[in-house]
């Protein structure tokens, strides 16, 4: 009987610690989401996130809050001898925040560290749109996506995401299926910001 009581009390204590930890994280995140981004960080985003100036004010404020959370919760680790500067951290967090603007859920759960490479990182995978662009490049067909996107599927996704935000109307006109997929994925419509 005593053993069961100790086990029960231990389980209650662990549950209480988990709940308290989640409540602290939720309170801290709420505070960070409402805290204005420092002026220096806003200047970094203005320089390094071309879409930043064109964003509606309410999305820019949301971007600031998410950037605060990512800078607080994630470790930025330089690889291959790279020393990560504050400008790099803010730029990366800003770009990562852009991807979360209207998406429900957590802030990249399961990732506590962001590895920053001094050069291109390659992954070995393939997708349908990647194959189509590879074929277009081989045949010399013009595309809104840069030829660099055929370097790898990971690079394709990065280039497609960049074009989605920076040349939204052109992508919507030339690659409506891909634009629609990215629009559903990110839950925003940047083409409408220019209309």
């Amino acid at each position: 009987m005593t053993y069961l009581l100790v086990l029960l009390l231990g389980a209650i204590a662990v549950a209480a610690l988990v709940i308290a930890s989640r409540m602290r994280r939720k309170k801290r995140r709420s505070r960070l989401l409402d805290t204005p981004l420092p002026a220096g960080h806003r200047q970094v985003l203005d320089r390094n996130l071309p879409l930043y100036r064109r964003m509606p004010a309410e999305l820019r404020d949301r971007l600031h809050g998410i950037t605060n959370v990512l800078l607080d919760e994630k470790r930025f680790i330089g690889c291959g001898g790279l020393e990560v500067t504050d400008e790099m951290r803010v730029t990366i967090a800003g770009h990562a925040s852009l991807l979360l603007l209207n998406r429900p859920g957590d802030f990249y759960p399961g990732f506590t560290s962001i590895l920053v490479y001094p050069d291109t990182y390659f992954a070995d995978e393939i997708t349908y749109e990647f194959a189509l662009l590879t074929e277009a490049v081989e045949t010399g067909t013009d595309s809104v996506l840069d030829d660099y996107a055929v370097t790898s599927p990971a690079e394709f996704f990065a280039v497609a995401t960049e074009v989605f935000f920076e040349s939204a109307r052109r992508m919507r006109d030339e690659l409506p299926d891909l634009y629609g997929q990215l629009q559903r994925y990110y839950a925003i419509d940047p083409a409408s910001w220019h209309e």
Side-chain angles (χ1 to χ4, degrees):
M1 182 72 158
T2 308
Y3 177 73
L4 289 177
L5 183 59
V6 169
L7 247 121
L8 180 61
L9 289 175
I12 291 171
V14 168
L17 286 174
V18 168
I19 291 170
S21 175
R22 287 182 181 168
M23 289 175 61
R24 279 193 306 275
R25 182 177 63 199
K26 184 176 180 179
K27 185 177 180 180
R28 185 182 71 248
R29 282 181 174 177
S30 179
R31 180 183 47 80
L32 288 167
L33 287 169
D34 291 336
T35 300
L37 197 64
H41 289 9
R42 289 192 309 271
Q43 291 170 353
V44 168
L45 294 178
D46 191 50
R47 275 193 309 273
N48 301 330
L49 190 64
L51 187 63
Y52 181 73
R53 290 183 200 157
R54 297 191 308 250
M55 294 176 72
E58 65 276 2
L59 286 180
R60 197 175 313 124
D61 290 342
R62 175 107 173 108
L63 181 105
H64 293 167
I66 296 170
T67 300
N68 280 332
V69 171
L70 294 179
L71 290 172
D72 180 70
E73 294 184 1
K74 309 299 181 189
R75 288 184 12 188
F76 294 77
I77 300 169
C79 298
L82 179 69
E83 184 175 329
V84 178
T85 65
D86 199 43
E87 178 146 351
M88 290 176 188
R89 289 175 67 251
V90 172
T91 300
I92 293 166
H95 280 276
S97 297
L98 186 65
L99 305 179
L100 298 176
L101 282 177
N102 281 339
R103 292 188 51 113
D106 214 343
F107 302 93
Y108 299 105
F111 293 96
T112 57
S113 301
I114 297 170
L115 304 178
V116 184
Y117 289 87
D119 205 349
T120 305
Y121 174 80
F122 294 97
D124 297 324
E125 298 174 2
I126 203 72
T127 63
Y128 176 72
E129 291 287 346
F130 176 73
L132 289 179
L133 181 63
T134 301
E135 184 178 317
V137 168
E138 289 171 357
T139 61
T141 306
D142 189 34
S143 173
V144 66
L145 300 178
D146 188 272
D147 292 356
Y148 185 71
V150 300
T151 305
S152 72
E155 202 57 50
F156 173 83
F157 182 74
V159 169
T161 294
E162 180 180 358
V163 171
F164 174 74
F165 286 106
E166 294 182 4
S167 300
R169 288 191 306 189
R170 184 172 173 209
M171 177 186 256
R172 183 188 62 195
D173 294 344
E174 293 181 23
L175 300 170
D177 291 338
L178 181 58
Y179 184 84
Q181 288 292 327
L182 292 172
Q183 182 184 13
R184 284 186 292 281
Y185 181 76
Y186 293 118
I188 56 177
D189 183 13
S192 69
W193 303 350
H194 303 284
E195 294 173 351

